[in-house]
Amino acid sequence: MRRANSLFASRPFRFAFTLSAAAFALSALACGGTDEATYVRGDEVPGLDEPAMSTGLDKVDLEKLFDENMGKLLKSPFYREIAANDPPATVAIFPIKNETSEHIGPQMQALLSRMETTLVNERRVDVIDHERQAELLKELKLQQSDLYDKDRAAEVGRRLGVQYFITGKVYDSAERTSDVRRVQYFVFMQAISVETGKIEWQEESALTKGLVPVN
Amino acid sequence: MRRHTHTRHNLRGAAVYLACAALAALAVACSAGYQGRVLAINDALAQNDPAQALLLADQALAQAEARGDEEDDDPLQSDVPLLLLERATLLQANGDHEGAVRDFAAADQTLEVLDLSASDSADVGKYLFSDDATLYQAPPHEKLLLNTLAMISWLCLDDLEGARVEARRLAVLQKYLQDAAPEERSLFGLGSWIAGFSFEMSGQLDEALNFYLEAWRSHGFDAAKEPIARLANATGRRDDDIDAIQQELGTLPALPDDHGTLLVVVQTGRAPFKVAERVPIGAFTTLQVSDSRYNLTPEERERANQAALEGALKWINFPALVDPDDLYQHIEVRLDGRDPGEPAVRLDVAAATRAAWAEDQPRLMISALTRMLTRALAGNVTQALTSSAVKGSTGNKAGGNIAGLLLGLAVEGALAAQDTPDTRSWNSLPSDIRVFRLSLPPGQHTLSLTASQPGKTRRAQKVDVPPGGFAVLNLRLLR
């Protein structure tokens, strides 16, 4: 016991022990701690939707694009005119063509679905649902991408019995340096007459997302 | 009395031994780095068991992602982008292209390009020896291949919009690299050619022509000439390069309207990956590079030589590229039993990986040496402190020096070992990619792939080519 005490009490041992303890502490730090992430609901964490987490489009971006485009569509002379039709005009919403460097197809689909929902609930025009479009495309042996071709889209519109289709395109100007990425989005929405092919309404909106160094 | 002194010596020896053992344990604890963490995945790949490798990649990702965002310096957390790349590649090899594009896209959002031209020696040294705790920065060829492989999976999904998005991402990266790393332009060819194909099949001929021209200009792919000539005819575009190509090819035969296009992508083997190796100090001290920010000052060089002469610094733990033992000697592709001819484009990924490493290695080695010299100073300080401590307790100067030297070297050794070099690299990247473009009568065709290693691996797959349309087949042989 005395020998053991003298071993632990000796200065070289204390120094070595301190060094070893520091080394193991360093090791624990270097190899990672034990904190873990947890799943949450949006209303549990105020502001969870606010931070941009990528250069893609998120809920905040979609709300901005929706407000800008839908608000202007509902206030446009074109909409006021077709909303006054009796019987109501028939409208289909076709996909937005993604010409960007970001995989935002699903987000654009969500934007169109919100626009469709608003038009349905406005009850001023008749809206043809997406499922009928998909069936018809299959029947005509066309792909969804064919809807971007104005002539084919008009053919699909006629077969669906619609008078107008709302569609659009989104472009970007994307650039990067060694530590900065910037994507400038430009969204163009259109309402096109199936009968004449004429663009009856068009709106443009823009937003920028980026990745920049914090310091 | 003599016995007592002997006991004290034993105690001191035990204490020093314990300290050295503790520091050695520390060295081992964290020295495995990324390679240690993906060892099991690599073993599964080496045994040609992609399903098991995928399962292990799933587990590794789940473990890494569970760490949360708070631990910025957590090596496991920083593995996530690279593990996503590994899993994406394995999913693609297994034909799960939906899973592959999801993981490629997620990895692409977080992966930055390693740009040594924008960093000085200290920054690079910190990055190189941060125990993999900083976010992985991919060398340019890996980042270019990320977009290229993702494009292949989008094409396999018959999703031209997704392929075009990936092509545009590639173009943004290429534009950046043209300025930051112009020597990498020769790697643009494969991705540009596939991007050209994606736009051509989409009917966006101007964009397709731009990408084919980039493939031809950056890599000189002869197979880009025919689509360039055809698309130039279709779009009416003219420039000196186009005129020269059209003059060379003459009038091209019309393609049968009812034929479809088959794109076959053959990916084989695995590219070299990094492991940690002890490299003798002499390999570092004589290096000079053109970028003066990296070179040692005369004082640093003298200190390095002195440390090497005294035997205080014998080696540095440094990454080395190693070839997996699964390189194929011969690959044979047959379509409906016949030779489809030469691939339209081909990229020797293994050679590109070696070239990228050879380009960066001298600067990284000097950064490593500079950092090691700084660390060696910490070792000397420890030696001085320990000498003083032991001498004070024993009154024995010689014993103090020995203990101090041992502890100093132990600290230096432990720091050198704990200074784990960054062995992160894309381990499941193929070593070779060949792309065949074939105009075929519509209907079912059979593609077979035989790889000699020298043992033979054979794989056959049927594919339906639609009239006037296209089909894409991706085949990956790990070994």
Side-chain angles (χ1 to χ4, degrees):
Chain A
M1 190 66 182
R2 282 173 65 92
R3 284 177 64 180
N5 275 344
S6 68
L7 172 66
F8 284 104
S10 68
R11 290 183 66 182
F13 186 89
R14 284 205 309 271
F15 182 80
F17 183 81
T18 306
L19 202 59
S20 309
F24 281 119
L26 191 65
S27 166
L29 279 175
C31 291
T34 56
D35 288 350
E36 290 192 354
T38 184
Y39 292 103
V40 296
R41 297 182 201 288
D43 51 10
E44 293 170 350
V45 182
L48 183 64
D49 287 329
E50 293 306 315
M53 298 184 77
S54 75
T55 49
L57 297 177
D58 58 24
K59 186 181 167 193
V60 174
D61 302 321
L62 291 178
E63 278 172 1
K64 178 180 185 292
L65 291 174
F66 175 80
D67 288 345
E68 285 185 13
N69 287 287
M70 199 66 210
K72 286 176 181 168
L73 174 63
L74 295 181
K75 287 177 189 163
S76 68
F78 158 73
Y79 186 74
R80 282 202 301 270
E81 188 182 316
I82 65 167
N85 279 7
D86 186 19
T90 314
V91 175
I93 298 202
F94 286 177
I96 291 180
K97 191 175 187 180
N98 178 14
E99 295 280 6
T100 75
S101 58
E102 298 284 334
H103 294 288
I104 52 166
Q107 289 86 342
M108 286 294 104
Q109 188 62 31
L111 176 68
L112 285 183
S113 294
R114 277 197 73 182
M115 294 180 80
E116 188 179 80
T117 303
T118 303
L119 285 179
V120 168
N121 292 338
E122 279 270 310
R123 293 179 171 272
R124 311 280 289 276
V125 295
D126 287 340
V127 182
I128 304 299
D129 76 13
H130 279 80
E131 281 190 22
R132 276 189 61 193
Q133 288 178 33
E135 283 168 20
L136 187 64
L137 286 174
K138 201 171 173 184
E139 191 183 310
L140 295 174
K141 293 186 178 173
L142 294 174
Q143 297 193 342
Q144 200 170 49
S145 57
D146 291 322
L147 293 178
Y148 303 130
D149 180 326
K150 206 193 263 183
D151 294 335
R152 289 186 178 181
E155 169 63 16
V156 173
R158 272 192 289 276
R159 297 285 293 269
L160 281 169
V162 302
Q163 293 164 285
Y164 303 95
F165 58 90
I166 294 172
T167 185
K169 290 180 184 177
V170 52
Y171 298 92
D172 73 353
S173 170
E175 291 179 285
R176 68 176 302 151
T177 61
S178 62
D179 56 355
V180 175
R181 269 186 275 167
R182 185 183 69 188
V183 184
Q184 296 166 319
Y185 291 96
F186 304 95
V187 182
F188 295 86
M189 298 291 302
Q190 294 177 324
I192 296 170
S193 163
V194 169
E195 188 183 347
T196 65
K198 184 181 164 195
I199 299 171
E200 298 284 356
W201 167 81
Q202 184 157 311
E203 188 56 52
E204 176 193 343
S205 49
L207 61 85
T208 299
K209 296 293 288 287
L211 178 69
V212 296
V214 176
N215 298 316
Chain B
M1 185 67 182
R2 193 175 168 189
R3 183 184 171 86
H4 178 72
T5 306
H6 185 66
T7 304
R8 286 185 67 102
H9 277 152
N10 282 349
L11 289 177
R12 190 167 58 238
V16 170
Y17 176 80
L18 190 60
C20 293
L23 287 162
L26 158 67
V28 171
C30 282
S31 64
Y34 182 72
Q35 281 309 326
R37 295 193 287 277
V38 296
L39 190 62
I41 298 174
N42 268 346
D43 283 347
L45 292 173
Q47 289 164 26
N48 199 22
D49 190 349
Q52 175 67 8
L54 190 53
L55 185 71
L56 292 164
D58 271 339
Q59 290 170 354
L61 256 172
Q63 192 185 0
E65 285 173 335
R67 290 287 180 148
D69 292 333
E70 294 89 9
E71 297 172 58
D72 291 338
D73 59 350
D74 183 344
L76 279 182
Q77 176 69 15
S78 69
D79 283 351
V80 170
L82 195 48
L83 285 171
L84 281 167
L85 266 190
E86 307 284 9
R87 189 171 71 179
T89 320
L90 294 169
L91 287 166
Q92 187 181 64
N94 285 351
D96 182 352
H97 295 288
E98 282 188 18
V101 296
R102 176 203 62 212
D103 282 357
F104 278 130
D108 199 13
Q109 282 291 339
T110 45
L111 270 185
E112 286 303 325
V113 186
L114 180 62
D115 182 6
L116 293 183
S117 66
S119 311
D120 62 19
S121 179
D123 286 344
V124 172
K126 189 178 171 192
Y127 175 75
L128 187 64
F129 291 100
S130 56
D131 190 25
D132 308 350
T134 54
L135 212 54
Y136 180 59
Q137 291 176 296
H141 73 280
E142 287 189 1
K143 197 77 165 76
L144 289 164
L145 282 166
L146 186 164
N147 293 125
T148 304
L149 294 188
M151 206 164 16
I152 290 167
S153 274
W154 285 110
L155 286 171
C156 288
L157 289 168
D158 199 18
D159 188 329
L160 285 169
E161 183 168 293
R164 292 195 307 271
V165 167
E166 218 56 55
R168 290 187 203 101
R169 295 184 75 79
L170 183 75
V172 172
L173 178 65
Q174 288 178 343
K175 189 178 165 199
Y176 161 66
L177 289 175
Q178 264 181 349
D179 295 330
E183 70 279 2
E184 305 290 349
R185 195 175 176 201
S186 63
L187 297 172
F188 292 2
L190 175 72
S192 294
W193 193 93
I194 297 174
F197 180 83
S198 302
F199 277 94
E200 183 187 351
M201 294 300 114
S202 304
Q204 297 186 22
L205 305 187
D206 270 316
E207 292 89 341
L209 183 51
N210 289 338
F211 278 111
Y212 281 129
L213 279 167
E214 177 57 41
W216 184 68
R217 286 170 179 152
S218 62
H219 200 281
F221 281 131
D222 277 349
K225 288 179 182 171
E226 187 176 326
I228 288 171
R230 288 189 191 282
L231 292 174
N233 283 338
T235 59
R237 180 104 68 93
R238 288 287 174 273
D239 69 21
D240 289 347
D241 285 339
I242 291 172
D243 288 346
I245 289 169
Q246 287 190 315
Q247 201 167 5
E248 181 188 334
L249 296 186
T251 305
L252 293 168
L255 292 173
D257 285 342
D258 64 334
H259 273 208
T261 302
L262 176 63
L263 193 79
V264 179
V265 182
V266 177
Q267 304 183 48
T268 51
R270 284 187 297 144
F273 52 84
K274 289 179 195 162
V275 296
E277 273 188 3
R278 289 183 174 192
V279 180
I281 191 73
F284 295 79
T285 52
T286 53
L287 280 170
Q288 289 268 16
V289 292
S290 56
D291 188 341
S292 58
R293 291 172 305 163
Y294 283 84
N295 285 326
L296 297 178
T297 63
E299 295 75 31
E300 285 172 330
R301 194 173 298 281
E302 190 184 331
R303 205 187 319 151
N305 286 329
Q306 189 66 29
L309 275 173
E310 289 175 358
L313 265 184
K314 295 186 184 67
W315 49 267
I316 292 179
N317 219 4
F318 195 74
L321 269 190
V322 293
D323 280 317
D325 57 356
D326 49 7
L327 291 179
Y328 292 104
Q329 303 297 316
H330 181 69
I331 307 283
E332 186 182 77
V333 181
R334 285 280 183 273
L335 182 81
D336 300 327
R338 290 189 296 276
D339 181 359
E342 288 298 306
V345 284
R346 181 178 180 183
L347 182 64
D348 185 341
V349 182
T353 307
R354 286 189 207 101
W357 181 238
E359 171 80 18
D360 292 343
Q361 194 181 25
R363 282 182 287 185
L364 295 173
M365 286 179 80
I366 295 176
S367 300
L369 178 58
T370 308
R371 184 174 167 88
M372 195 61 224
L373 288 171
T374 310
R375 292 298 178 108
L377 276 180
N380 287 340
V381 168
T382 309
Q383 185 178 330
L385 283 171
T386 316
S387 296
S388 164
V390 174
K391 192 177 153 192
S393 69
T394 64
N396 183 334
K397 186 179 175 185
N401 280 343
I402 291 166
L405 182 65
L406 279 173
L407 273 176
L409 288 178
V411 169
E412 179 201 313
L415 287 172
Q418 192 201 17
D419 242 3
T420 311
D422 191 349
T423 54
R424 287 177 296 179
S425 56
W426 189 350
N427 281 229
S428 49
L429 195 62
S431 67
D432 185 84
I433 302 175
R434 302 168 202 209
V435 182
F436 298 82
R437 178 179 177 159
L438 306 158
S439 176
L440 297 170
Q444 194 174 74
H445 298 271
T446 303
L447 189 102
S448 68
L449 178 63
T450 308
S452 309
Q453 197 198 11
K456 280 195 172 178
T457 305
R458 188 173 184 279
R459 177 149 344 145
Q461 200 159 332
K462 292 187 187 307
V463 60
D464 277 315
V465 176
F470 76 97
V472 178
L473 194 58
N474 177 65
L475 289 173
R476 172 78 194 267
L477 282 182
L478 289 163
R479 64 170 295 157

